Amino acid sequence: MGKSRNTRRGRAAAETVVEDVDGGRAELVPDRDRPRAWSLLIDGAPQSHVDLDDPAHLSFEYQRRLGHVIDLAAPAGRPVRAVHLGGGALTLARYLAATRPRSTQQVVERDAALVQLVRRELPLDPGARIRVRSTDARAGLAKVPDGWADLIVADVFSGARTPAHLTSGEFLDDVRRALAPGGLYAANLADGPPLAHLRGQIATAADRFAELALVADPAVLRGKRFGNAVLVACDHPLPVAELTRRAASDPQPARVEHGRALADFTGGAAPVTDAAAVDSPAPPPSVFR
């Protein structure tokens, strides 16, 4: 195991922290523009960005889009009960704790060594009600009581790919079981041309939920490049107009697809089952250059 660290974290010239974790080589890289902000990379792939002085700051575009969903999951400031499948540097859990004080959160992150690294180097606010479980995302979800969660966020990648067992209708059945009436599900998906994985995920969610929306860069939706898309699903009308406004005004504007346009985008793709599920596509090497 290799490690390079600066134990005097208050010093301006902070050093990169490098440590082997269960999922590969983790790096915590200091943000030169923000004194106590860090980016987490696993095997060179960017995973999270955290600003300890401003946990409401979301640097990565896909995390800002998930942040919009968190903002719209309930009236502003109201505490919620949330489950995060995939933890990374706990960016979204920190964001929710900052924007919705007194919320209760469960984070399921399989990589126990990564959790230890993040807790040590990027400590959580001791007042935040965040419980972290080191187990598989689907196994952790199974332990969430029926109807407990107002919000479930799935952001799980292993080797830059979402594991197959987190892409199926059976997985979404357990998401529905754990959601409270009126609860919201959001997933970070990654795909590139020909977008077969993304279309299959939309079809799977449409088979389980009454309302869907998809937030993504227009170039990704056109199949021009590999990238992230945020899928939102629930059984009540979504705040599509406000989500669209926020996505369009982002520093990296995104488009929101909903209703008939989203159904047309799916193009007749079939829902995914456990028996047929495969990992999401690996990103091309150029994505992280």
Side-chain angles (χ1 to χ4, degrees):
M1 178 174 69
K3 183 186 293 186
S4 170
R5 61 172 296 187
N6 180 355
T7 56
R8 297 174 59 190
R9 294 183 201 149
R11 197 165 68 191
E15 298 173 5
T16 297
V17 179
V18 181
E19 193 162 310
D20 289 338
V21 296
D22 299 340
R25 176 59 59 92
E27 298 175 77
L28 288 173
V29 181
D31 184 333
R32 300 305 178 188
D33 297 323
R34 290 176 169 262
R36 298 182 70 228
W38 302 77
S39 291
L40 168 67
L41 288 72
I42 304 291
D43 288 339
Q47 301 288 325
S48 305
H49 180 278
V50 168
D51 188 335
L52 296 177
D53 289 333
D54 182 11
H57 173 75
L58 298 176
S59 179
F60 290 0
E61 64 179 60
Y62 86 87
Q63 290 184 326
R64 287 197 302 274
R65 290 166 190 167
L66 286 169
H68 299 328
V69 176
I70 291 171
D71 291 345
L72 298 174
R78 177 184 293 178
V80 298
R81 294 184 295 191
V83 176
H84 302 266
L85 304 177
L90 309 177
T91 303
L92 291 171
R94 299 172 200 264
Y95 176 84
L96 196 151
T99 58
R100 296 185 178 277
R102 302 182 309 283
S103 292
T104 303
Q105 302 185 71
Q106 297 184 36
V107 179
V108 183
E109 170 54 61
R110 182 174 186 170
D111 195 328
L114 176 61
V115 171
Q116 292 177 356
L117 171 65
V118 169
R119 283 188 177 277
R120 186 185 74 231
E121 300 292 335
L122 308 176
L124 289 165
D125 179 346
R129 301 176 181 178
I130 301 174
R131 177 184 180 186
V132 183
R133 291 177 172 174
S134 296
T135 188
D136 172 78
R138 192 153 161 182
L141 177 63
K143 295 183 181 300
V144 176
D146 293 1
W148 184 85
D150 300 305
L151 174 68
I152 296 177
V153 177
D155 184 16
V156 185
F157 289 85
S158 176
R161 304 176 73 178
T162 300
H165 69 297
L166 304 179
T167 68
S168 69
E170 290 90 338
F171 164 67
L172 290 185
D173 287 338
D174 212 22
V175 169
R176 285 185 59 90
R177 177 199 59 76
L179 278 173
L184 199 64
Y185 171 67
N188 176 32
L189 309 174
D191 199 8
L195 300 177
H197 172 72
L198 182 58
R199 298 182 204 278
Q201 290 302 284
I202 298 167
T204 306
D207 198 48
R208 261 57 179 192
F209 290 93
E211 292 287 331
L212 303 180
L214 188 73
V215 190
D217 185 305
V220 173
L221 293 175
R222 290 195 300 268
K224 298 296 185 182
R225 69 173 181 85
F226 193 98
N228 296 84
V230 169
L231 178 64
V232 187
C234 62
D235 285 327
H236 56 84
L238 287 165
V240 174
E242 180 60 18
L243 184 60
T244 300
R245 186 191 70 78
R246 292 176 183 233
S249 61
D250 189 86
Q252 292 166 300
R255 195 166 82 214
V256 175
E257 295 287 8
H258 173 260
R260 174 50 58 187
L262 184 57
D264 290 344
F265 174 81
T266 306
V272 177
T273 64
D274 273 344
V278 296
D279 295 349
S280 68
S286 60
V287 168
F288 303 126
R289 287 177 186 165

